[in-house]
Structure formats: C-alpha cells, structure tokens
Amino acid sequence: MIVVKWFFLILPVFLTVTASAENALPTNTKARPAWQAVDGKQALAKMAHAMQTLNYQGTVAFLRDGKLEPMKYSHAANRGREQERLLSLNSPLREVVRETGEVSCLYKATQQLVIDQRPFERSFLIDMPNDINQLDAAYGIEMVGEENVAMLPAYVIAIKPKDNLRYARKVWLGRQWFLPLKVVVYDLEGAVLEELVFTELDVKDALPFIDMKPLADGALPSQKSPSGSSAQAAFVMTAIPKGFKEVFFDRKPMHESEQPVDHLLLSDGLASVSVYMEHKNNAQPLVNNDTNGVQSVDAVNFFSHSLGDFQLTVMGEVPSETIRLIADNAKLRVR
C-alpha cells in the first residue's frame, strides 16, 4: 500500500517535470528543431516518389465510421511496374489488388473475383499528384512538427484547404523513407472523419507480384471501356468549384444493366468527386426525395436528383456544400 501511495504521489511531479523538459527552450536559442528546416511540399513530393518506387509491407489499420479494420498491406515495384495489395484480417475475408488502373477484389468465402477499372487512382493509402504544385490553388501545405508512429520518427504535414469546399488532412511521413505512416481526414469542424495508421512497416529490396485468379469459376470483371471525352456526356458542367478539374470520363453499364452510365470524375489533386448520369428506367431508386438531402457514409457525401428523363448522382469525399454545388451546375446537354 505504501508503494502504491508513493507512486500516485510522485506521478504528478514526474509528469510536471517531463512536460517542463519537453516544453523548455533549448540552451542555444539559435537552434531550431530539424523539422523546421524541411519544406512541407518538398516532403510530399518525396512521399509521392517513394510510394511509387519502393517495396514495402506492413499492417495498416483503417478507421471509418467508428469501425477499425486491420489489413495486411504490401507495395511491389520493379522497373516502372507497381502493384498494391490489401489482405483483410477480419471477416469478410478478401484480398484487393491494384495494378495499372485495375482494381481486383477476391472474396475468400465464395472465391468470387470482381474487377473494376480505376485509372485515376494511385494508391489505397492516399492519392497525391506527381506535381505537388497542383495543390496550390486549393490547399496550403505546412510542416507542423515531428512525432513517432509505430515507433518510427515522422514528420507531420498539415494540408489545409483554402475554402470550405474540401476537407483538411494531416500526413505523418517516416523520416527515413518518406512513406506515409498515418493519414487523417478532418471535417470542417476539425473532427476526425477517417484515419489510417501503420502499426508496423518494413522496406524491402524486392517483393513478389501476385496474379489474382479465383480458385473457382465466377469472376465478375467490369466491362473495360477506354477513357473518352466529357463532350460525349449527356450532361455538361456549367461551372466547377475552384481547384477542381475534369480528369476522367467513361461510359459503361452498371447495376448489372446493359444500359450505359456516364461517369465524369473531378479532382483537385487530392479530393475527387464522381458525377454519374443514367436513364431513370435503369437507375437505382433515389436515395433522397427532397431537394436538399445530401446523404453521407463515413467521409463520403452523395446526392441524387432528376434531370428530365435522367437521374444524376454526385458523390465524393468532400463536404455536402461541394456536392450540392456540383450537382446544381450539372445540366442536360443540348444536342
């Protein structure tokens, strides 16, 4: 009992001394923390390069809607070829692989393989343009400190939007390899919307590439369609929020229907918004029945409404105001 009392008596003193030591000014007032000499944009540029060229693997935890999902992650790179792999550790067991604009998902229980074309996505961890200067129109980037993640020293970089049309992010970059150890997305009030964090991460000289094949029949590949021009779309964007631009358009069937759906992707270099238009006869029922009802799942907001004989759906990891602004500026194309 005496030992227990002593511990609780000394603990406040210990915490006070520790805090004072951490916050104390260095003896040499000219000395600056190492992170203050590192530029945030340069660090993100190094991250983008490292994510494409290094071989690394580890365990990453995704936090969405209050639910934590741990997964095994690996990235293989060799002579310009890249392959990302996620393997779930909890049910439903599945394996997801991204390579050359194609994402394949194999469900272990049924051995069903689903393939989707996503030429605009670069990583499961965080999308980042090769030219970081593309973010200047919409974001400010700042190095804000150093912390440890998975017992690895990391630079902390804040990506702050210049308006309320997109979310803020923080990225923790490992000092040795400049790989992202932690990424957090914040809503407009500063609350955490999504988070991913590595519990361990190793860089290897090489990692094997795998071939995604189901052990049984039942592969469901999406129909491949070449990227087209948004001039082919049944709708036209009369205005686009500042910083966003059109980066991808295609037309292909969805919902197991033979009727095509127009898909236009908008991006500001970090956040992306998809605009879909399909004929009402083939569309899924409207999610919202009123004119202002933007719905949300985790960090993704979406909105659907009618345009003549068509249904328009806008969805993306951006605030509801951005979704409505884009939806309101999508009009039927006059032929």
Side-chain angles (χ1 to χ4, degrees):
M1 181 65 70
I2 294 176
V3 174
V4 174
K5 286 185 176 180
W6 174 85
F7 175 78
F8 282 104
L9 285 173
I10 198 66
L11 180 60
V13 177
F14 172 76
L15 293 176
T16 301
V17 172
T18 302
S20 298
E22 289 181 345
N23 296 322
L25 291 174
T27 304
N28 180 6
T29 57
K30 293 182 180 181
R32 299 174 63 191
W35 60 265
Q36 289 187 358
V38 180
D39 179 80
K41 287 177 62 177
Q42 292 176 351
L44 288 183
K46 290 182 179 181
M47 179 193 76
H49 179 73
M51 289 176 66
Q52 294 174 6
T53 58
L54 295 180
N55 294 278
Y56 48 101
Q57 63 183 12
T59 302
V60 61
F62 294 87
L63 177 63
R64 296 186 178 100
D65 196 27
K67 298 177 181 178
L68 185 67
E69 182 174 18
M71 304 188 82
K72 287 292 184 181
Y73 173 89
S74 67
H75 177 273
N78 184 22
R79 298 181 180 179
R81 181 187 176 191
E82 287 184 75
Q83 187 183 79
E84 260 188 320
R85 181 188 182 201
L86 284 172
L87 182 64
S88 61
L89 300 179
N90 299 328
S91 296
L93 296 179
R94 61 202 184 281
E95 183 176 12
V96 188
V97 171
R98 179 190 66 84
E99 183 176 356
T100 319
E102 184 176 274
V103 177
S104 305
C105 181
L106 177 64
Y107 293 89
K108 298 295 185 176
T110 62
Q111 288 300 306
Q112 183 184 58
L113 178 65
V114 179
I115 303 174
D116 192 18
Q117 306 299 312
R118 300 183 185 178
F120 42 83
E121 292 186 358
R122 295 183 176 88
S123 174
F124 293 139
L125 304 177
I126 180 173
D127 273 334
M128 190 68 60
N130 290 327
D131 183 5
I132 302 300
N133 292 323
Q134 294 180 20
L135 301 177
D136 289 346
Y139 299 94
I141 300 172
E142 182 182 1
M143 184 76 68
V144 294
E146 279 188 288
E147 295 179 8
N148 288 327
V149 178
M151 299 183 69
L152 297 173
Y155 297 117
V156 186
I157 301 175
I159 306 175
K160 302 176 182 178
K162 296 179 179 180
D163 53 34
N164 289 329
L165 298 179
R166 59 214 93 215
Y167 293 133
R169 288 168 171 79
K170 275 188 179 179
V171 183
W172 284 254
L173 294 181
R175 286 179 55 182
Q176 183 176 6
W177 300 106
F178 283 88
L179 290 170
L181 302 178
K182 180 178 176 181
V183 180
V184 180
V185 181
Y186 302 90
D187 67 14
L188 298 180
E189 285 71 44
V192 174
L193 282 172
E194 287 186 354
E195 179 176 345
L196 70 86
V197 58
F198 277 93
T199 57
E200 48 93 15
L201 181 66
D202 295 315
V203 175
K204 303 292 186 179
D205 291 334
L207 286 173
F209 288 76
I210 66 167
D211 186 12
M212 286 286 281
K213 290 183 179 179
L215 299 180
D217 294 335
L220 295 177
S222 66
Q223 296 190 21
K224 296 184 180 181
S225 57
S227 176
S229 167
S230 60
Q232 304 169 4
F235 63 94
V236 60
M237 299 302 305
T238 58
I240 297 177
K242 182 179 179 181
F244 284 92
K245 63 179 181 179
E246 299 179 2
V247 295
F248 177 80
F249 172 81
D250 73 352
R251 174 178 288 166
K252 65 182 180 182
M254 296 179 66
H255 314 309
E256 299 182 357
S257 169
E258 295 182 357
Q259 296 299 317
V261 177
D262 287 355
H263 174 209
L264 175 66
L265 185 79
L266 308 175
S267 176
D268 64 7
L270 189 60
S272 61
V273 179
S274 287
V275 184
Y276 298 96
M277 179 171 280
E278 57 190 316
H279 201 277
K280 285 182 180 178
N281 294 338
N282 306 301
Q284 297 293 306
L286 285 172
V287 177
N288 46 282
N289 297 318
D290 58 86
T291 58
N292 296 312
V294 176
Q295 307 292 313
S296 63
V297 177
D298 301 333
V300 176
N301 287 305
F302 57 95
F303 173 79
S304 295
H305 70 163
S306 298
L307 280 179
D309 294 331
F310 297 89
Q311 178 173 308
L312 182 87
T313 300
V314 181
M315 63 187 304
E317 196 175 79
V318 292
S320 58
E321 178 186 348
T322 313
I323 296 296
R324 279 310 309 265
L325 181 61
I326 292 174
D328 291 344
N329 282 285
K331 308 296 182 184
L332 285 175
R333 185 181 299 274
V334 179
R335 298 295 184 179

